[in-house]
Amino acid sequence: MISDPRDPAALQDAVRALQAGELVAFPTETVYGLGADAGNDAAVARVFAAKGRPSDHPLIVHVPDGAAVSRFAADVPAFAQRLIDAFWPGPLTLILPRREGVAPAAAGGHDTIGLRCPSHPVAQALLLACARAEPPVPGLAAPSANRFGRVSPTSAAHVASEFGEGLRVLDGGSCEVGIESAIVDCTRGRPVLLRPGVLTVRQIEAACGEPLARPGEVGREAPRASGTLASHYAPRARVRLMDAAALQAALDVLGEQAEGIATWSRAILQTPSSRVLRRHMPEDAREAARQLFAVLREFDARGVQLIWVEAPPAGADWDGVRDRLQRAAA
Ligand code: TXA
Ligand code: MG
């Protein structure tokens, strides 16, 4: 059931459900999360089961503030603390060494833990209420609230369409950021960018004072992370990325025969067939990120078979959108 978190009773009900080991979906500024008490292994197992996600793929633990980090992390390198100071609450997840015995199931058995402090007011209210409850729930393990491999949800209705009416969903409107948080691994001596988000490499490097490495560049292998699999975030329809000229040429070839095709492009395309579903990609990377997953979901809901997307521009501010589109197309 979808409920309005401005109603104090709805928020209290969500806290009670989480204390009892049940699942609650909640909005963050990036995407909606499917939350469970991070310290309750049975509750965390329910998250893996609901998503259909392999249980060795670690979950991000959401905390109300930077002070909660020491509950879960054994050590916070100075550059990681600078990132916390600069970007929390906000769309940045840090991988840190895990405190022994804490949230092993949420961490998928790894000796590290992903931590994030979201800025969405509903996420903040929920996390604070959980932390102050008796017994307290100091952190919520929450992957994106979609089935494994599918597009992340950016509205309460998206979540309901993934999991049905049985799941509690707090409705916080449409997500402002629209793509998942950037993930920086802080366990390898120097920062490693595991997943780009809307924070640019330059912003992250400026805040932590060190260059960001890419996964293969530093020491040991990155743990298998579902958000880093080549094929992920995929709609049912097949996605192809093309430049504007190739996209127009492909439409021209099909002419009036074009059917079951949707396009998302900055260029204005000439489509001879009125059955081609066209959506305009914003010129601004932030705005494109905000719309991306809703557009892919709309195309799926309309039953298109092919989604042709104009490749995003080269700028670093498009890294997050480009990354998600490449995975959707893989
Ligand atoms: O914006 C977000 O990050 C959203 C919202 C709900 O906070 N959450 C999200 O969670 O995208 P999820 O589970 O869909 O993606 C989390 C990513 C996965 O690729 C996971 O493998 C990686 O984070 N991850 C989590 N803990 C990790 C760890 N200890 N080491 C390496 N990767 C980790
Ligand atoms: Mg996900």
Side-chain angles (χ1 to χ4, degrees):
M1 72 235 68
I2 295 180
S3 58
D4 183 348
R6 287 168 301 187
D7 170 7
L11 199 67
Q12 272 317 308
D13 173 66
V15 173
R16 270 194 298 272
L18 290 161
Q19 286 175 307
E22 291 166 31
L23 307 185
V24 175
F26 62 94
T28 81
E29 69 279 22
T30 58
V31 301
Y32 276 69
L34 180 62
D37 175 357
N40 179 336
D41 288 359
V44 169
R46 276 181 209 115
V47 174
F48 285 108
K51 275 191 68 105
R53 175 160 164 170
S55 58
D56 61 341
H57 285 205
L59 307 179
I60 295 172
V61 175
H62 297 68
V63 292
D65 49 40
V69 166
S70 59
R71 252 178 193 281
F72 295 94
D75 176 47
V76 183
F79 70 81
Q81 188 60 50
R82 289 195 288 273
L83 291 175
I84 290 172
D85 295 341
F87 297 118
W88 280 15
L92 176 71
T93 296
L94 300 182
I95 310 298
L96 293 163
R98 180 165 61 89
R99 207 177 247 283
E100 219 184 308
V102 174
H110 297 276
D111 56 6
T112 58
I113 188 119
L115 295 176
R116 169 159 128 75
C117 173
S119 66
H120 193 291
V122 174
Q124 276 286 324
L126 180 66
L127 288 164
L128 273 175
C130 281
R132 290 174 184 160
E134 194 47 52
V137 176
L140 295 180
S144 53
N146 53 278
R147 292 187 191 268
F148 183 61
R150 307 235 68 102
V151 174
S152 294
T154 54
S155 75
H158 292 166
V159 180
S161 76
E162 292 275 334
F163 296 103
E165 287 300 301
L167 176 68
R168 277 185 181 76
V169 185
L170 296 177
D171 188 351
S174 295
C175 301
E176 277 290 308
V177 171
I179 60 173
E180 304 83 351
S181 59
I183 304 180
V184 177
D185 185 349
C186 304
T187 67
R188 298 196 245 177
R190 51 183 283 212
V192 183
L193 183 66
L194 297 186
R195 179 173 76 181
V198 294
L199 298 174
T200 63
V201 167
R202 193 185 293 193
Q203 280 176 298
I204 296 172
E205 289 181 334
C208 74
E210 296 192 32
L212 273 179
R214 286 281 170 169
E217 286 171 27
V218 175
R220 67 186 165 83
E221 278 281 289
R224 201 150 47 104
S226 47
T228 61
L229 296 177
S231 167
H232 208 67
Y233 311 108
R236 269 177 280 275
R238 286 181 49 195
V239 177
R240 252 183 80 191
L241 283 172
M242 292 175 260
D243 65 29
L247 221 167
Q248 183 63 61
L251 287 170
D252 292 343
V253 166
L254 291 176
E256 284 169 33
Q257 314 296 314
E259 221 187 320
I261 295 175
T263 64
W264 196 46
S265 66
R266 296 182 309 290
I268 308 295
L269 301 167
Q270 305 303 319
T271 49
S273 167
S274 58
R275 285 170 304 203
V276 173
L277 195 60
R278 287 180 302 172
R279 292 287 175 270
H280 185 249
M281 183 191 291
E283 297 289 338
D284 176 63
R286 284 265 184 168
E287 190 51 42
R290 195 200 321 267
Q291 293 178 19
L292 170 61
F293 290 147
V295 168
L296 294 179
R297 276 177 185 270
E298 185 205 344
F299 290 160
D300 262 349
R302 300 259 195 137
V304 309
Q305 272 102 56
L306 295 172
I307 302 175
W308 289 349
V309 179
E310 183 181 349
D317 49 338
W318 286 87
D319 283 355
V321 169
R322 192 180 314 103
D323 170 80
R324 300 314 186 276
L325 282 172
Q326 282 167 350
R327 289 180 209 283

